[in-house]
Amino acid sequence: MHAALKIWIFLAVTCLGRSHHHEGHDQDTVSQSSIESLVAANNNFTFHLYRKLAAHADSAGKNVFFSPASVSLALAALSTGTRGETQRQLFSGLGFNSHTQAGVDQAFQRLLAHKSEEVSQGTAVFVDNKFKARPEFLEGLNQYYSAHGFNVSFTKTKESEDFINEYVANKTNGKIDKLVENLDPRTVMYLISYIYFKGKWETPFNPELTRVDKFNVAENKKVDVQMMYKEQRFNVYRDLEINATVLHLPFNSSQAMLLMLPDGMNTLENAICPERVTEWLKRMEAGTYKVYIPKFSIKTSYSLKEVLEGMGMTDMFGDCANLTGIAEGKLAVSEVVHKATLDVDEAGATAAAATGVGLMPWSYRHVPVLKFNRPFMAIITERSTNNILFLGKVIDPTI
Ligand SMILES: *[C@@H]1O[C@H](CO)[C@@H](O)[C@H](O)[C@H]1NC(C)=O
Ligand SMILES: *[C@@H]1O[C@H](CO)[C@@H](O)[C@H](O)[C@H]1NC(C)=O
Ligand SMILES: *[C@@H]1O[C@H](CO)[C@@H](O)[C@H](O)[C@H]1NC(C)=O
Ligand SMILES: *[C@@H]1O[C@H](CO)[C@@H](O)[C@H](O)[C@H]1NC(C)=O
Ligand SMILES: *[C@@H]1O[C@H](CO)[C@@H](O)[C@H](O)[C@H]1NC(C)=O
Ligand SMILES: *[C@@H]1O[C@H](CO)[C@@H](O)[C@H](O)[C@H]1NC(C)=O
């Protein structure tokens, strides 16, 4: 059993999968299938990204929590400005291989148009005053990704950082209040996506039944938690192939949470995939259970550059970046950051996340390194006459 307390959450935005009430209209059937195929690609991306993040977190005994929906929204919005191999890598990494840019844009447009009381999702782009982005790039972001656009001056780093962070904090009800830290003054554009979810359990837990109890972090490490308790009928599935129990906790809305309690975390982590989750949901059976779930609040923060590179999205970060759809001249992605929070209590759950993508000019200049770390010679001359005033050789600078 691993040291990390890992929380598996599927804020299955089920309204996407089941809103067939507009049926009979060709346009809607097309949009429904494009959204479904986008969701399928996103679910694939989800587990790929999970395994990468978990691999990093394991060694540190850290929780893992992120919003694949926010990451893919930000990267899809970025992809509208990519061309050539850079675009191919992004599409391949996100699982959009079989889609065109126009298809992806339209699917996101429809996805973002789904309004729900519990989930709010969107994007914004912050552009430096002195940077000339292509108008069609900004118009596309606005039209398909509902992006709000802002002019900022990135040379005033503190102000721009505060402005972006305040925007994200507003959109996530204060849950993500420092998305951007140590903003590079060379930044010319910053693209963000956010998601906020607040759901009430269909049947809440009674706070009077919450008790301090032990949570087994590892074989010889226990911590105290506030354990919530409820006895009632739940939808549960015991996956005997991997020895894990899956609990379905519906919100009083179209969302639900799935909690997976494995006998061995590794077995579950290696086996979990979109098809398996679909299978669980199909095979759930109602039964009466005494259920104990800790009340908790967790926060995570990721720098995704290396992770995305590890998933094949390498070009956008360097010399080969083709971001010619955003502006003329060389540009590259300088950072991709992601922060997320999850709070679970007797009344329900609140989850928020945001992704930030920074862009900077990329200079071809190869900066050579010159390191005097072995014996060297030195001369001091008179600059106007080249008269040598001193000459020496340094073998050991410490004596
Ligand atoms: C999900 O990934 C698998 C394996 O990489 C692939 O065969 C499948 O086509 C992908 N599905 C979607 C919907 O992208
Ligand atoms: C970017 O990709 C486009 C389309 O493939 C290509 O025509 C262009 O030469 C590329 N530009 C750079 C700077 O790589
Ligand atoms: C940003 O500045 C440009 C040029 O100065 C202007 O055309 C544009 O409307 C401004 N955008 C916003 C959102 O203020
Ligand atoms: C955040 O919300 C406050 C209050 O609604 C508003 O005054 C402020 O302009 C917003 N900030 C940003 C960056 O959107
Ligand atoms: C599941 O548990 C049973 C009984 O303890 C055990 O025999 C089996 O090997 C386990 N399967 C896996 C995949 O761990
Ligand atoms: C669920 O939501 C409906 C509609 O908002 C409301 O009437 C109902 O009381 C809620 N049920 C619970 C248990 O909160």
Side-chain angles (χ1 to χ4, degrees):
M1 180 83 81
H2 259 279
L5 147 67
K6 289 209 194 86
I7 315 287
W8 290 91
I9 306 292
F10 293 88
L11 296 172
V13 184
T14 40
C15 53
L16 299 175
R18 27 141 260 172
S19 60
H20 285 289
H21 45 265
H22 294 309
E23 257 168 5
H25 208 274
D26 276 358
Q27 184 66 28
D28 282 340
T29 315
V30 170
S31 78
Q32 194 60 42
S33 75
S34 72
I35 289 180
E36 273 165 16
S37 110
L38 192 77
V39 168
N42 191 50
N43 286 347
N44 242 6
F45 169 70
T46 298
F47 292 106
H48 197 174
L49 183 54
Y50 174 83
R51 282 186 243 283
K52 296 275 178 192
L53 297 180
H56 284 268
D58 270 357
S59 45
K62 282 189 185 162
N63 298 323
V64 177
F65 187 67
F66 67 105
S67 167
S70 165
V71 178
S72 67
L73 175 59
L75 294 180
L78 174 71
S79 78
T80 63
T82 60
R83 300 287 182 270
E85 178 62 12
T86 305
Q87 183 177 43
R88 203 199 55 73
Q89 288 179 358
L90 262 178
F91 267 45
S92 167
L94 292 169
F96 297 160
N97 312 52
S98 57
H99 298 68
T100 60
Q101 183 75 56
V104 168
D105 294 348
Q106 282 162 22
F108 271 102
Q109 186 183 31
R110 294 189 176 116
L111 200 120
L112 290 167
H114 274 278
K115 293 282 176 244
S116 135
E117 216 176 287
E118 293 81 13
V119 183
S120 69
Q121 203 180 356
T123 68
V125 60
F126 302 84
V127 184
D128 191 79
N129 294 323
K130 296 201 184 64
F131 179 69
K132 293 261 170 301
R134 291 185 196 280
E136 58 272 27
F137 169 71
L138 296 176
E139 282 154 21
L141 281 188
N142 180 264
Q143 182 178 351
Y144 298 107
Y145 295 88
S146 317
H148 286 163
F150 299 94
N151 286 329
V152 296
S153 175
F154 282 112
T155 46
K156 297 176 185 154
T157 43
K158 182 75 178 80
E159 267 176 47
S160 329
E161 208 174 278
D162 289 349
F163 186 71
I164 298 172
N165 286 338
E166 186 185 318
Y167 180 86
V168 174
N170 274 3
K171 295 295 185 182
T172 57
N173 281 315
K175 288 292 174 189
I176 310 289
D177 58 358
K178 277 207 172 55
L179 177 67
V180 187
E181 284 170 289
N182 306 317
L183 186 70
D184 193 304
R186 290 170 297 175
T187 304
V188 291
M189 183 182 279
Y190 211 89
L191 189 61
I192 64 109
S193 78
Y194 61 85
I195 182 166
Y196 177 79
F197 168 82
K198 188 177 175 71
K200 286 187 157 56
W201 303 124
E202 202 172 74
T203 54
F205 290 79
N206 179 355
E208 283 171 16
L209 302 179
T210 301
R211 300 267 184 280
V212 175
D213 200 351
K214 298 287 177 202
F215 185 94
N216 301 291
V217 175
E219 219 158 296
N220 42 22
K221 185 175 176 197
K222 294 182 199 304
V223 293
D224 282 341
V225 294
Q226 289 286 331
M227 197 65 96
M228 311 189 292
Y229 168 75
K230 186 159 68 169
E231 178 180 340
Q232 65 165 62
R233 283 177 80 74
F234 288 98
N235 278 324
V236 169
Y237 180 66
R238 175 76 187 166
D239 190 333
L240 291 172
E241 237 174 86
I242 58 168
N243 292 339
T245 306
V246 185
L247 170 68
H248 184 255
L249 279 181
F251 292 102
N252 186 15
S253 59
S254 52
Q255 291 82 22
M257 186 183 276
L258 283 185
L259 293 176
M260 282 74 81
L261 187 65
D263 293 358
M265 183 55 85
N266 280 338
T267 312
L268 170 64
E269 285 188 301
N270 292 331
I272 196 163
C273 61
E275 295 72 25
R276 192 151 214 133
V277 176
T278 309
E279 199 64 20
W280 289 337
L281 289 170
K282 221 186 297 173
R283 292 170 179 241
M284 290 276 167
E285 276 182 27
T288 301
Y289 292 84
K290 291 178 194 284
V291 165
Y292 295 87
I293 298 170
K295 200 168 140 168
F296 62 90
S297 285
I298 58 172
K299 267 183 204 283
T300 58
S301 170
Y302 302 100
S303 170
L304 294 182
K305 182 171 183 274
E306 272 177 36
V307 170
L308 296 176
E309 283 176 336
M311 293 169 78
M313 295 172 259
T314 51
D315 280 12
M316 64 178 175
F317 294 107
D319 198 29
C320 298
N322 191 335
L323 297 165
T324 50
I326 298 181
E328 284 172 35
K330 289 290 276 180
L331 275 182
V333 173
S334 51
E335 67 174 20
V336 180
V337 292
H338 184 78
K339 296 201 178 182
T341 66
L342 172 64
D343 305 285
V344 170
D345 65 18
E346 290 90 353
T350 305
T355 308
V357 180
L359 290 114
M360 275 202 291
W362 180 269
S363 64
Y364 274 120
R365 270 183 314 122
H366 170 65
V367 183
V369 175
L370 207 50
K371 195 170 186 180
F372 288 84
N373 59 356
R374 56 180 184 272
F376 58 91
M377 286 184 69
I379 288 178
I380 298 177
T381 65
E382 182 69 49
R383 280 166 75 183
S384 55
T385 61
N386 286 336
N387 188 22
I388 293 178
L389 306 180
F390 300 93
L391 168 66
K393 176 174 77 165
V394 180
I395 300 268
D396 178 352
T398 68
I399 53 174

